[in-house]
Amino acid sequence: MKTNRLGSSDLDVSAMGLGCMSLGTAEAQATAIIHEALDRGINFLDTADLYDEGRNEEIVGQAIRHRRADVILATKVGNRRIPGKEGWSWDASKGYIRSAVKESLRRLQTDYIDLYQLHGGTLEDDIEETIEAFEELKREGVIRHYGISSIRPNVIREYVQRSGIVSVMSQYSILDRRPEESILPLLGRAGISLIARGPLASGILTDHGSSKAQRAYLDYTEAELTALHEQLMSQTTLTRTLTQTALQYPLADPAVAAIIPGASSLEQLRQNIAAARSQPLSALELEAVRETSKAGRYTLHV
Protein backbone atom coordinates (compact mmCIF):
# COMPACT_ATOMS: atom_id res chain seq x y z
CA MET A 1 0.00 0.00 0.00
CA LYS A 2 1.34 3.41 -0.99
CA THR A 3 2.02 5.82 1.88
CA ASN A 4 1.85 9.62 2.02
CA ARG A 5 3.32 12.11 4.46
CA LEU A 6 0.59 13.65 6.63
CA GLY A 7 1.01 17.40 6.30
CA SER A 8 4.16 18.72 7.98
CA SER A 9 4.28 15.81 10.43
CA ASP A 10 6.65 12.86 10.52
CA LEU A 11 3.74 10.46 9.99
CA ASP A 12 3.63 8.37 6.81
CA VAL A 13 0.08 7.09 6.48
CA SER A 14 -1.24 4.48 4.08
CA ALA A 15 -3.13 6.08 1.21
CA MET A 16 -6.14 4.09 2.38
CA GLY A 17 -6.74 3.92 6.09
CA LEU A 18 -9.50 2.16 7.98
CA GLY A 19 -12.39 4.16 9.32
CA CYS A 20 -13.26 2.16 12.43
CA MET A 21 -16.71 3.62 13.12
CA SER A 22 -18.45 0.92 11.08
CA LEU A 23 -16.68 -2.04 12.71
CA GLY A 24 -19.55 -2.68 15.10
CA THR A 25 -19.34 -4.07 18.62
CA ALA A 26 -18.79 -7.76 17.84
CA GLU A 27 -15.19 -7.85 19.04
CA ALA A 28 -14.01 -11.00 17.25
CA GLN A 29 -15.25 -9.80 13.86
CA ALA A 30 -13.93 -6.27 14.36
CA THR A 31 -10.54 -7.60 15.45
CA ALA A 32 -10.33 -9.82 12.38
CA ILE A 33 -10.99 -6.82 10.12
CA ILE A 34 -8.34 -4.72 11.87
CA HIS A 35 -5.73 -7.49 11.70
CA GLU A 36 -6.50 -8.13 8.03
CA ALA A 37 -6.09 -4.43 7.30
CA LEU A 38 -2.70 -4.32 9.04
CA ASP A 39 -1.56 -7.51 7.30
CA ARG A 40 -2.46 -6.01 3.91
CA GLY A 41 -0.47 -2.81 4.35
CA ILE A 42 -2.91 -0.42 6.01
CA ASN A 43 -1.21 1.38 8.90
CA PHE A 44 -3.70 4.20 9.56
CA LEU A 45 -6.65 3.54 11.90
CA ASP A 46 -9.19 6.24 12.74
CA THR A 47 -11.59 6.05 15.66
CA ALA A 48 -13.22 8.46 18.15
CA ASP A 49 -14.22 8.51 21.80
CA LEU A 50 -17.82 9.07 20.61
CA TYR A 51 -18.17 5.86 18.63
CA ASP A 52 -20.29 3.29 20.48
CA GLU A 53 -19.79 5.34 23.66
CA GLY A 54 -16.10 4.49 23.80
CA ARG A 55 -16.48 0.82 22.94
CA ASN A 56 -14.91 1.37 19.51
CA GLU A 57 -11.72 2.69 21.08
CA GLU A 58 -11.65 -0.31 23.44
CA ILE A 59 -11.95 -2.78 20.55
CA VAL A 60 -9.27 -1.00 18.52
CA GLY A 61 -6.97 -0.84 21.53
CA GLN A 62 -7.34 -4.53 22.28
CA ALA A 63 -6.78 -5.46 18.62
CA ILE A 64 -3.52 -3.51 18.27
CA ARG A 65 -2.03 -3.89 21.74
CA HIS A 66 0.67 -6.26 20.46
CA ARG A 67 1.11 -4.34 17.18
CA ARG A 68 1.15 -0.75 18.39
CA ALA A 69 4.39 0.09 16.56
CA ASP A 70 2.77 -0.88 13.25
CA VAL A 71 -0.09 1.61 13.60
CA ILE A 72 -0.63 5.32 13.02
CA LEU A 73 -3.48 5.72 15.50
CA ALA A 74 -5.96 8.57 15.25
CA THR A 75 -8.85 9.40 17.55
CA LYS A 76 -11.03 12.41 18.31
CA VAL A 77 -12.32 14.58 21.15
CA GLY A 78 -14.92 17.28 21.80
CA ASN A 79 -18.25 15.49 22.09
CA ARG A 80 -18.90 15.07 25.80
CA ARG A 81 -21.31 12.53 27.19
CA ILE A 82 -23.08 13.41 30.41
CA PRO A 83 -23.69 10.41 32.70
CA GLY A 84 -27.39 9.61 33.02
CA LYS A 85 -28.37 11.65 29.96
CA GLU A 86 -28.89 10.66 26.35
CA GLY A 87 -26.78 12.18 23.62
CA TRP A 88 -23.82 14.46 24.15
CA SER A 89 -22.80 18.09 24.41
CA TRP A 90 -20.02 20.01 22.70
CA ASP A 91 -17.00 20.80 24.86
CA ALA A 92 -13.77 22.09 23.35
CA SER A 93 -12.42 23.43 26.64
CA LYS A 94 -8.86 22.80 27.72
CA GLY A 95 -9.97 21.05 30.88
CA TYR A 96 -12.20 18.61 29.05
CA ILE A 97 -9.66 17.83 26.33
CA ARG A 98 -6.99 17.07 28.95
CA SER A 99 -9.32 14.78 30.90
CA ALA A 100 -10.78 13.09 27.81
CA VAL A 101 -7.39 12.16 26.40
CA LYS A 102 -6.63 10.16 29.54
CA GLU A 103 -9.77 8.09 29.01
CA SER A 104 -8.95 7.54 25.34
CA LEU A 105 -5.45 6.39 26.25
CA ARG A 106 -6.91 3.95 28.77
CA ARG A 107 -9.42 2.52 26.30
CA LEU A 108 -6.82 2.32 23.52
CA GLN A 109 -4.26 0.66 25.85
CA THR A 110 -1.48 3.00 24.77
CA ASP A 111 0.53 5.86 26.25
CA TYR A 112 0.43 8.09 23.18
CA ILE A 113 -1.86 9.00 20.28
CA ASP A 114 -0.34 9.68 16.86
CA LEU A 115 -3.07 12.05 15.66
CA TYR A 116 -5.54 13.66 18.07
CA GLN A 117 -8.37 15.46 16.31
CA LEU A 118 -10.93 18.00 17.41
CA HIS A 119 -14.22 16.33 16.51
CA GLY A 120 -16.05 19.38 15.18
CA GLY A 121 -15.62 22.97 16.27
CA THR A 122 -17.48 26.29 16.11
CA LEU A 123 -16.48 29.94 15.83
CA GLU A 124 -18.00 30.44 19.28
CA ASP A 125 -15.37 28.19 20.89
CA ASP A 126 -12.43 29.70 22.73
CA ILE A 127 -10.14 28.58 19.92
CA GLU A 128 -6.95 29.81 21.59
CA GLU A 129 -7.73 27.70 24.66
CA THR A 130 -8.46 24.66 22.50
CA ILE A 131 -5.20 25.07 20.61
CA GLU A 132 -3.31 25.50 23.88
CA ALA A 133 -4.67 22.18 25.12
CA PHE A 134 -3.44 20.33 22.04
CA GLU A 135 -0.06 22.08 22.10
CA GLU A 136 0.44 21.15 25.76
CA LEU A 137 -0.40 17.50 25.08
CA LYS A 138 2.06 17.52 22.19
CA ARG A 139 4.86 18.98 24.31
CA GLU A 140 4.17 16.37 27.00
CA GLY A 141 4.42 13.54 24.45
CA VAL A 142 0.84 12.40 25.03
CA ILE A 143 0.04 13.09 21.37
CA ARG A 144 2.43 13.32 18.43
CA HIS A 145 0.34 15.64 16.26
CA TYR A 146 -3.14 17.12 16.13
CA GLY A 147 -5.76 18.01 13.55
CA ILE A 148 -9.42 18.86 13.16
CA SER A 149 -12.36 16.88 11.80
CA SER A 150 -14.81 19.39 10.33
CA ILE A 151 -16.91 20.32 7.31
CA ARG A 152 -17.05 24.03 8.24
CA PRO A 153 -14.67 26.11 6.10
CA ASN A 154 -14.70 29.14 8.41
CA VAL A 155 -13.69 27.01 11.40
CA ILE A 156 -11.04 25.20 9.37
CA ARG A 157 -9.59 28.53 8.21
CA GLU A 158 -9.19 29.67 11.82
CA TYR A 159 -7.21 26.55 12.73
CA VAL A 160 -5.10 26.77 9.57
CA GLN A 161 -4.14 30.34 10.44
CA ARG A 162 -3.75 30.01 14.20
CA SER A 163 -2.68 26.47 15.07
CA GLY A 164 -0.19 23.73 14.28
CA ILE A 165 -2.67 21.27 12.79
CA VAL A 166 -1.21 18.80 10.31
CA SER A 167 -4.52 17.52 8.95
CA VAL A 168 -8.16 18.23 8.32
CA MET A 169 -10.62 15.35 8.13
CA SER A 170 -13.65 16.11 6.01
CA GLN A 171 -16.24 14.32 3.95
CA TYR A 172 -15.08 14.20 0.34
CA SER A 173 -16.33 12.11 -2.55
CA ILE A 174 -17.62 12.32 -6.11
CA LEU A 175 -21.04 13.13 -4.60
CA ASP A 176 -19.71 15.61 -2.04
CA ARG A 177 -17.15 17.91 -3.61
CA ARG A 178 -17.43 20.71 -1.06
CA PRO A 179 -13.72 20.56 -0.13
CA GLU A 180 -12.83 21.49 -3.72
CA GLU A 181 -14.93 24.64 -3.42
CA SER A 182 -13.85 25.64 0.05
CA ILE A 183 -10.67 24.24 1.59
CA LEU A 184 -8.45 22.10 -0.64
CA PRO A 185 -6.59 25.05 -2.23
CA LEU A 186 -6.05 26.56 1.23
CA LEU A 187 -4.72 23.29 2.65
CA GLY A 188 -2.45 22.79 -0.33
CA ARG A 189 -0.86 26.21 0.17
CA ALA A 190 -0.48 25.65 3.92
CA GLY A 191 1.06 22.18 3.63
CA ILE A 192 -1.79 20.61 5.59
CA SER A 193 -3.26 17.28 4.49
CA LEU A 194 -6.88 16.36 3.95
CA ILE A 195 -8.09 13.00 5.24
CA ALA A 196 -11.12 12.12 3.13
CA ARG A 197 -13.92 10.32 4.95
CA GLY A 198 -16.99 8.94 3.20
CA PRO A 199 -15.33 8.39 -0.20
CA LEU A 200 -17.93 5.76 -1.11
CA ALA A 201 -20.87 7.96 -0.02
CA SER A 202 -22.44 5.36 2.28
CA GLY A 203 -21.96 2.66 -0.34
CA ILE A 204 -23.72 4.51 -3.16
CA LEU A 205 -20.47 4.86 -5.12
CA THR A 206 -19.95 1.13 -5.54
CA ASP A 207 -20.85 -1.22 -8.34
CA HIS A 208 -23.83 -2.52 -6.36
CA GLY A 209 -24.78 0.85 -4.92
CA SER A 210 -27.95 1.40 -6.94
CA SER A 211 -30.09 -0.01 -4.12
CA LYS A 212 -28.45 2.34 -1.62
CA ALA A 213 -29.24 5.28 -3.92
CA GLN A 214 -32.84 4.87 -2.83
CA ARG A 215 -32.19 6.46 0.55
CA ALA A 216 -31.47 10.07 1.44
CA TYR A 217 -27.97 11.42 0.90
CA LEU A 218 -27.23 15.11 1.41
CA ASP A 219 -29.70 17.14 -0.69
CA TYR A 220 -29.95 14.66 -3.55
CA THR A 221 -33.31 13.20 -4.50
CA GLU A 222 -33.62 9.46 -5.05
CA ALA A 223 -34.05 10.08 -8.79
CA GLU A 224 -30.88 12.19 -8.92
CA LEU A 225 -28.83 9.59 -7.08
CA THR A 226 -30.11 6.79 -9.28
CA ALA A 227 -29.35 8.77 -12.44
CA LEU A 228 -25.85 9.70 -11.21
CA HIS A 229 -25.11 6.09 -10.32
CA GLU A 230 -26.17 4.98 -13.79
CA GLN A 231 -24.04 7.67 -15.44
CA LEU A 232 -20.99 6.80 -13.39
CA MET A 233 -21.46 3.09 -14.05
CA SER A 234 -21.63 3.82 -17.79
CA GLN A 235 -18.17 5.41 -17.52
CA THR A 236 -16.56 2.32 -15.99
CA THR A 237 -14.45 0.10 -18.20
CA LEU A 238 -13.33 -3.50 -18.24
CA THR A 239 -10.24 -2.44 -16.31
CA ARG A 240 -11.86 -0.18 -13.69
CA THR A 241 -14.88 -0.51 -11.40
CA LEU A 242 -16.97 2.29 -9.91
CA THR A 243 -15.52 1.47 -6.48
CA GLN A 244 -12.04 2.00 -7.89
CA THR A 245 -13.08 5.29 -9.47
CA ALA A 246 -14.68 6.47 -6.23
CA LEU A 247 -11.69 5.66 -4.02
CA GLN A 248 -9.17 7.07 -6.48
CA TYR A 249 -11.09 10.31 -7.01
CA PRO A 250 -10.16 12.06 -3.71
CA LEU A 251 -6.59 10.79 -3.94
CA ALA A 252 -6.19 12.65 -7.24
CA ASP A 253 -5.80 15.91 -5.31
CA PRO A 254 -2.23 16.29 -3.99
CA ALA A 255 -3.51 17.75 -0.70
CA VAL A 256 -5.27 14.45 0.13
CA ALA A 257 -3.02 12.15 2.14
CA ALA A 258 -5.50 9.37 2.83
CA ILE A 259 -9.01 8.10 2.30
CA ILE A 260 -10.69 6.26 5.15
CA PRO A 261 -13.58 4.10 3.97
CA GLY A 262 -15.17 1.96 6.65
CA ALA A 263 -15.61 -1.79 6.51
CA SER A 264 -18.10 -3.97 8.35
CA SER A 265 -16.86 -7.26 6.87
CA LEU A 266 -13.64 -8.83 5.64
CA GLU A 267 -15.06 -9.04 2.12
CA GLN A 268 -15.80 -5.32 2.08
CA LEU A 269 -12.33 -4.52 3.38
CA ARG A 270 -10.65 -6.67 0.72
CA GLN A 271 -12.70 -5.06 -2.05
CA ASN A 272 -11.74 -1.59 -0.81
CA ILE A 273 -8.04 -2.49 -0.59
CA ALA A 274 -8.07 -3.88 -4.14
CA ALA A 275 -9.77 -0.69 -5.37
CA ALA A 276 -7.35 1.57 -3.50
CA ARG A 277 -4.41 -0.25 -5.10
CA SER A 278 -5.71 0.37 -8.62
CA GLN A 279 -4.08 2.86 -10.98
CA PRO A 280 -4.70 6.57 -10.33
CA LEU A 281 -7.37 8.18 -12.48
CA SER A 282 -6.18 9.58 -15.78
CA ALA A 283 -6.83 13.20 -16.73
CA LEU A 284 -9.60 12.06 -19.06
CA GLU A 285 -11.24 9.97 -16.34
CA LEU A 286 -11.09 12.86 -13.88
CA GLU A 287 -12.65 15.19 -16.42
CA ALA A 288 -15.49 12.75 -17.12
CA VAL A 289 -16.25 12.24 -13.43
CA ARG A 290 -16.20 15.96 -12.70
CA GLU A 291 -18.49 16.71 -15.62
CA THR A 292 -20.96 14.06 -14.45
CA SER A 293 -21.02 15.27 -10.85
CA LYS A 294 -20.60 19.01 -11.38
CA ALA A 295 -24.15 19.86 -10.24
CA GLY A 296 -23.63 18.53 -6.73
CA ARG A 297 -26.54 18.79 -4.30
CA TYR A 298 -25.13 19.89 -0.96
CA THR A 299 -25.04 22.90 1.28
CA LEU A 300 -21.80 24.71 2.05
CA HIS A 301 -21.47 25.14 5.81
CA VAL A 302 -19.78 28.05 7.51
Side-chain angles (χ1 to χ4, degrees), residues 249-272:
Y249 182 79
L251 289 170
D253 193 292
V256 176
I259 52 174
I260 51 165
S264 56
S265 68
L266 285 171
E267 179 184 7
Q268 190 175 47
L269 173 70
R270 290 164 183 161
Q271 289 172 349
N272 290 346

PDB file of all heavy atoms in Angstrom, residues 249-272:
ATOM      1  N   TYR A 249     -10.750   8.923  -6.726  1.00  0.00           N
ATOM      2  CA  TYR A 249     -11.093  10.314  -7.010  1.00  0.00           C
ATOM      3  C   TYR A 249     -10.523  11.291  -5.971  1.00  0.00           C
ATOM      4  O   TYR A 249      -9.834  12.250  -6.343  1.00  0.00           O
ATOM      5  CB  TYR A 249     -12.611  10.487  -7.142  1.00  0.00           C
ATOM      6  CG  TYR A 249     -12.977  11.917  -7.479  1.00  0.00           C
ATOM      7  CD1 TYR A 249     -12.858  12.388  -8.775  1.00  0.00           C
ATOM      8  CD2 TYR A 249     -13.394  12.802  -6.488  1.00  0.00           C
ATOM      9  CE1 TYR A 249     -13.150  13.709  -9.093  1.00  0.00           C
ATOM     10  CE2 TYR A 249     -13.679  14.124  -6.791  1.00  0.00           C
ATOM     11  CZ  TYR A 249     -13.560  14.570  -8.094  1.00  0.00           C
ATOM     12  OH  TYR A 249     -13.826  15.891  -8.391  1.00  0.00           O
ATOM     13  N   PRO A 250     -10.753  11.105  -4.663  1.00  0.00           N
ATOM     14  CA  PRO A 250     -10.165  12.058  -3.707  1.00  0.00           C
ATOM     15  C   PRO A 250      -8.640  12.056  -3.738  1.00  0.00           C
ATOM     16  O   PRO A 250      -8.009  13.104  -3.570  1.00  0.00           O
ATOM     17  CB  PRO A 250     -10.694  11.571  -2.346  1.00  0.00           C
ATOM     18  CG  PRO A 250     -11.899  10.754  -2.667  1.00  0.00           C
ATOM     19  CD  PRO A 250     -11.589  10.113  -3.986  1.00  0.00           C
ATOM     20  N   LEU A 251      -8.050  10.893  -3.961  1.00  0.00           N
ATOM     21  CA  LEU A 251      -6.593  10.786  -3.944  1.00  0.00           C
ATOM     22  C   LEU A 251      -5.944  11.507  -5.120  1.00  0.00           C
ATOM     23  O   LEU A 251      -4.723  11.697  -5.128  1.00  0.00           O
ATOM     24  CB  LEU A 251      -6.173   9.311  -3.948  1.00  0.00           C
ATOM     25  CG  LEU A 251      -6.447   8.537  -2.653  1.00  0.00           C
ATOM     26  CD1 LEU A 251      -6.225   7.042  -2.865  1.00  0.00           C
ATOM     27  CD2 LEU A 251      -5.584   9.058  -1.506  1.00  0.00           C
ATOM     28  N   ALA A 252      -6.740  11.930  -6.095  1.00  0.00           N
ATOM     29  CA  ALA A 252      -6.188  12.654  -7.239  1.00  0.00           C
ATOM     30  C   ALA A 252      -5.720  14.055  -6.857  1.00  0.00           C
ATOM     31  O   ALA A 252      -4.893  14.642  -7.560  1.00  0.00           O
ATOM     32  CB  ALA A 252      -7.225  12.738  -8.357  1.00  0.00           C
ATOM     33  N   ASP A 253      -6.242  14.589  -5.753  1.00  0.00           N
ATOM     34  CA  ASP A 253      -5.798  15.908  -5.306  1.00  0.00           C
ATOM     35  C   ASP A 253      -4.551  15.748  -4.443  1.00  0.00           C
ATOM     36  O   ASP A 253      -4.555  14.974  -3.483  1.00  0.00           O
ATOM     37  CB  ASP A 253      -6.897  16.603  -4.497  1.00  0.00           C
ATOM     38  CG  ASP A 253      -6.598  18.080  -4.289  1.00  0.00           C
ATOM     39  OD1 ASP A 253      -5.634  18.385  -3.545  1.00  0.00           O
ATOM     40  OD2 ASP A 253      -7.300  18.915  -4.857  1.00  0.00           O
ATOM     41  N   PRO A 254      -3.488  16.471  -4.737  1.00  0.00           N
ATOM     42  CA  PRO A 254      -2.232  16.294  -3.988  1.00  0.00           C
ATOM     43  C   PRO A 254      -2.330  16.653  -2.511  1.00  0.00           C
ATOM     44  O   PRO A 254      -1.468  16.244  -1.728  1.00  0.00           O
ATOM     45  CB  PRO A 254      -1.255  17.223  -4.713  1.00  0.00           C
ATOM     46  CG  PRO A 254      -2.099  18.182  -5.481  1.00  0.00           C
ATOM     47  CD  PRO A 254      -3.338  17.430  -5.842  1.00  0.00           C
ATOM     48  N   ALA A 255      -3.358  17.408  -2.118  1.00  0.00           N
ATOM     49  CA  ALA A 255      -3.508  17.753  -0.703  1.00  0.00           C
ATOM     50  C   ALA A 255      -4.123  16.614   0.098  1.00  0.00           C
ATOM     51  O   ALA A 255      -4.109  16.654   1.334  1.00  0.00           O
ATOM     52  CB  ALA A 255      -4.364  19.012  -0.548  1.00  0.00           C
ATOM     53  N   VAL A 256      -4.644  15.592  -0.565  1.00  0.00           N
ATOM     54  CA  VAL A 256      -5.272  14.455   0.127  1.00  0.00           C
ATOM     55  C   VAL A 256      -4.211  13.410   0.439  1.00  0.00           C
ATOM     56  O   VAL A 256      -3.582  12.851  -0.464  1.00  0.00           O
ATOM     57  CB  VAL A 256      -6.401  13.834  -0.717  1.00  0.00           C
ATOM     58  CG1 VAL A 256      -6.975  12.602  -0.019  1.00  0.00           C
ATOM     59  CG2 VAL A 256      -7.514  14.861  -0.958  1.00  0.00           C
ATOM     60  N   ALA A 257      -4.018  13.147   1.728  1.00  0.00           N
ATOM     61  CA  ALA A 257      -3.020  12.148   2.135  1.00  0.00           C
ATOM     62  C   ALA A 257      -3.622  10.758   2.240  1.00  0.00           C
ATOM     63  O   ALA A 257      -2.924   9.761   2.013  1.00  0.00           O
ATOM     64  CB  ALA A 257      -2.401  12.533   3.475  1.00  0.00           C
ATOM     65  N   ALA A 258      -4.894  10.683   2.606  1.00  0.00           N
ATOM     66  CA  ALA A 258      -5.500   9.369   2.827  1.00  0.00           C
ATOM     67  C   ALA A 258      -7.007   9.433   2.669  1.00  0.00           C
ATOM     68  O   ALA A 258      -7.635  10.461   2.935  1.00  0.00           O
ATOM     69  CB  ALA A 258      -5.146   8.848   4.222  1.00  0.00           C
ATOM     70  N   ILE A 259      -7.572   8.319   2.253  1.00  0.00           N
ATOM     71  CA  ILE A 259      -9.013   8.101   2.296  1.00  0.00           C
ATOM     72  C   ILE A 259      -9.267   7.089   3.399  1.00  0.00           C
ATOM     73  O   ILE A 259      -8.425   6.232   3.667  1.00  0.00           O
ATOM     74  CB  ILE A 259      -9.550   7.571   0.952  1.00  0.00           C
ATOM     75  CG1 ILE A 259      -8.754   6.333   0.499  1.00  0.00           C
ATOM     76  CG2 ILE A 259      -9.517   8.666  -0.115  1.00  0.00           C
ATOM     77  CD1 ILE A 259      -9.304   5.648  -0.731  1.00  0.00           C
ATOM     78  N   ILE A 260     -10.419   7.204   4.063  1.00  0.00           N
ATOM     79  CA  ILE A 260     -10.693   6.256   5.152  1.00  0.00           C
ATOM     80  C   ILE A 260     -12.100   5.663   5.025  1.00  0.00           C
ATOM     81  O   ILE A 260     -12.989   5.964   5.822  1.00  0.00           O
ATOM     82  CB  ILE A 260     -10.497   6.886   6.549  1.00  0.00           C
ATOM     83  CG1 ILE A 260     -11.258   8.214   6.683  1.00  0.00           C
ATOM     84  CG2 ILE A 260      -9.023   7.077   6.859  1.00  0.00           C
ATOM     85  CD1 ILE A 260     -11.389   8.658   8.128  1.00  0.00           C
ATOM     86  N   PRO A 261     -12.306   4.803   4.032  1.00  0.00           N
ATOM     87  CA  PRO A 261     -13.585   4.102   3.973  1.00  0.00           C
ATOM     88  C   PRO A 261     -13.714   3.163   5.157  1.00  0.00           C
ATOM     89  O   PRO A 261     -12.707   2.670   5.682  1.00  0.00           O
ATOM     90  CB  PRO A 261     -13.499   3.329   2.653  1.00  0.00           C
ATOM     91  CG  PRO A 261     -12.029   3.113   2.448  1.00  0.00           C
ATOM     92  CD  PRO A 261     -11.365   4.338   2.993  1.00  0.00           C
ATOM     93  N   GLY A 262     -14.938   2.925   5.582  1.00  0.00           N
ATOM     94  CA  GLY A 262     -15.165   1.961   6.650  1.00  0.00           C
ATOM     95  C   GLY A 262     -15.317   0.564   6.067  1.00  0.00           C
ATOM     96  O   GLY A 262     -15.377   0.379   4.849  1.00  0.00           O
ATOM     97  N   ALA A 263     -15.380  -0.417   6.938  1.00  0.00           N
ATOM     98  CA  ALA A 263     -15.610  -1.795   6.511  1.00  0.00           C
ATOM     99  C   ALA A 263     -16.288  -2.535   7.650  1.00  0.00           C
ATOM    100  O   ALA A 263     -15.818  -2.500   8.786  1.00  0.00           O
ATOM    101  CB  ALA A 263     -14.306  -2.484   6.131  1.00  0.00           C
ATOM    102  N   SER A 264     -17.391  -3.193   7.332  1.00  0.00           N
ATOM    103  CA  SER A 264     -18.100  -3.967   8.353  1.00  0.00           C
ATOM    104  C   SER A 264     -17.937  -5.463   8.137  1.00  0.00           C
ATOM    105  O   SER A 264     -18.524  -6.274   8.859  1.00  0.00           O
ATOM    106  CB  SER A 264     -19.592  -3.603   8.347  1.00  0.00           C
ATOM    107  OG  SER A 264     -20.160  -3.801   7.058  1.00  0.00           O
ATOM    108  N   SER A 265     -17.125  -5.849   7.127  1.00  0.00           N
ATOM    109  CA  SER A 265     -16.857  -7.262   6.872  1.00  0.00           C
ATOM    110  C   SER A 265     -15.499  -7.395   6.217  1.00  0.00           C
ATOM    111  O   SER A 265     -14.963  -6.434   5.620  1.00  0.00           O
ATOM    112  CB  SER A 265     -17.921  -7.871   5.941  1.00  0.00           C
ATOM    113  OG  SER A 265     -17.815  -7.325   4.631  1.00  0.00           O
ATOM    114  N   LEU A 266     -14.929  -8.585   6.287  1.00  0.00           N
ATOM    115  CA  LEU A 266     -13.640  -8.826   5.638  1.00  0.00           C
ATOM    116  C   LEU A 266     -13.753  -8.687   4.127  1.00  0.00           C
ATOM    117  O   LEU A 266     -12.856  -8.160   3.467  1.00  0.00           O
ATOM    118  CB  LEU A 266     -13.138 -10.225   5.994  1.00  0.00           C
ATOM    119  CG  LEU A 266     -12.579 -10.413   7.412  1.00  0.00           C
ATOM    120  CD1 LEU A 266     -12.331 -11.886   7.704  1.00  0.00           C
ATOM    121  CD2 LEU A 266     -11.286  -9.609   7.591  1.00  0.00           C
ATOM    122  N   GLU A 267     -14.871  -9.140   3.567  1.00  0.00           N
ATOM    123  CA  GLU A 267     -15.064  -9.040   2.118  1.00  0.00           C
ATOM    124  C   GLU A 267     -15.056  -7.580   1.672  1.00  0.00           C
ATOM    125  O   GLU A 267     -14.419  -7.223   0.679  1.00  0.00           O
ATOM    126  CB  GLU A 267     -16.377  -9.706   1.715  1.00  0.00           C
ATOM    127  CG  GLU A 267     -16.664  -9.624   0.225  1.00  0.00           C
ATOM    128  CD  GLU A 267     -18.019 -10.201  -0.153  1.00  0.00           C
ATOM    129  OE1 GLU A 267     -18.797 -10.541   0.759  1.00  0.00           O
ATOM    130  OE2 GLU A 267     -18.297 -10.272  -1.367  1.00  0.00           O
ATOM    131  N   GLN A 268     -15.753  -6.736   2.415  1.00  0.00           N
ATOM    132  CA  GLN A 268     -15.804  -5.318   2.083  1.00  0.00           C
ATOM    133  C   GLN A 268     -14.415  -4.694   2.180  1.00  0.00           C
ATOM    134  O   GLN A 268     -14.006  -3.915   1.315  1.00  0.00           O
ATOM    135  CB  GLN A 268     -16.786  -4.612   3.013  1.00  0.00           C
ATOM    136  CG  GLN A 268     -17.121  -3.191   2.625  1.00  0.00           C
ATOM    137  CD  GLN A 268     -18.179  -2.616   3.534  1.00  0.00           C
ATOM    138  OE1 GLN A 268     -18.097  -2.726   4.763  1.00  0.00           O
ATOM    139  NE2 GLN A 268     -19.185  -2.006   2.946  1.00  0.00           N
ATOM    140  N   LEU A 269     -13.688  -5.032   3.220  1.00  0.00           N
ATOM    141  CA  LEU A 269     -12.326  -4.520   3.383  1.00  0.00           C
ATOM    142  C   LEU A 269     -11.455  -4.925   2.207  1.00  0.00           C
ATOM    143  O   LEU A 269     -10.726  -4.087   1.648  1.00  0.00           O
ATOM    144  CB  LEU A 269     -11.719  -5.048   4.683  1.00  0.00           C
ATOM    145  CG  LEU A 269     -10.240  -4.715   4.893  1.00  0.00           C
ATOM    146  CD1 LEU A 269     -10.044  -3.221   5.153  1.00  0.00           C
ATOM    147  CD2 LEU A 269      -9.650  -5.537   6.045  1.00  0.00           C
ATOM    148  N   ARG A 270     -11.497  -6.179   1.813  1.00  0.00           N
ATOM    149  CA  ARG A 270     -10.654  -6.668   0.720  1.00  0.00           C
ATOM    150  C   ARG A 270     -11.001  -5.985  -0.597  1.00  0.00           C
ATOM    151  O   ARG A 270     -10.113  -5.665  -1.392  1.00  0.00           O
ATOM    152  CB  ARG A 270     -10.788  -8.185   0.612  1.00  0.00           C
ATOM    153  CG  ARG A 270     -10.135  -8.925   1.776  1.00  0.00           C
ATOM    154  CD  ARG A 270     -10.594 -10.364   1.873  1.00  0.00           C
ATOM    155  NE  ARG A 270     -10.005 -11.027   3.031  1.00  0.00           N
ATOM    156  CZ  ARG A 270     -10.490 -12.146   3.566  1.00  0.00           C
ATOM    157  NH1 ARG A 270     -11.572 -12.721   3.040  1.00  0.00           N
ATOM    158  NH2 ARG A 270      -9.903 -12.684   4.625  1.00  0.00           N
ATOM    159  N   GLN A 271     -12.286  -5.757  -0.838  1.00  0.00           N
ATOM    160  CA  GLN A 271     -12.700  -5.057  -2.047  1.00  0.00           C
ATOM    161  C   GLN A 271     -12.159  -3.620  -2.054  1.00  0.00           C
ATOM    162  O   GLN A 271     -11.675  -3.134  -3.079  1.00  0.00           O
ATOM    163  CB  GLN A 271     -14.221  -5.040  -2.151  1.00  0.00           C
ATOM    164  CG  GLN A 271     -14.837  -6.396  -2.466  1.00  0.00           C
ATOM    165  CD  GLN A 271     -16.349  -6.392  -2.381  1.00  0.00           C
ATOM    166  OE1 GLN A 271     -16.968  -5.435  -1.896  1.00  0.00           O
ATOM    167  NE2 GLN A 271     -16.973  -7.459  -2.864  1.00  0.00           N
ATOM    168  N   ASN A 272     -12.231  -2.966  -0.904  1.00  0.00           N
ATOM    169  CA  ASN A 272     -11.735  -1.592  -0.813  1.00  0.00           C
ATOM    170  C   ASN A 272     -10.222  -1.522  -1.019  1.00  0.00           C
ATOM    171  O   ASN A 272      -9.714  -0.616  -1.681  1.00  0.00           O
ATOM    172  CB  ASN A 272     -12.110  -0.987   0.540  1.00  0.00           C
ATOM    173  CG  ASN A 272     -13.595  -0.711   0.680  1.00  0.00           C
ATOM    174  OD1 ASN A 272     -14.340  -0.729  -0.299  1.00  0.00           O
ATOM    175  ND2 ASN A 272     -14.033  -0.461   1.901  1.00  0.00           N
TER     176      ASN A 272
END
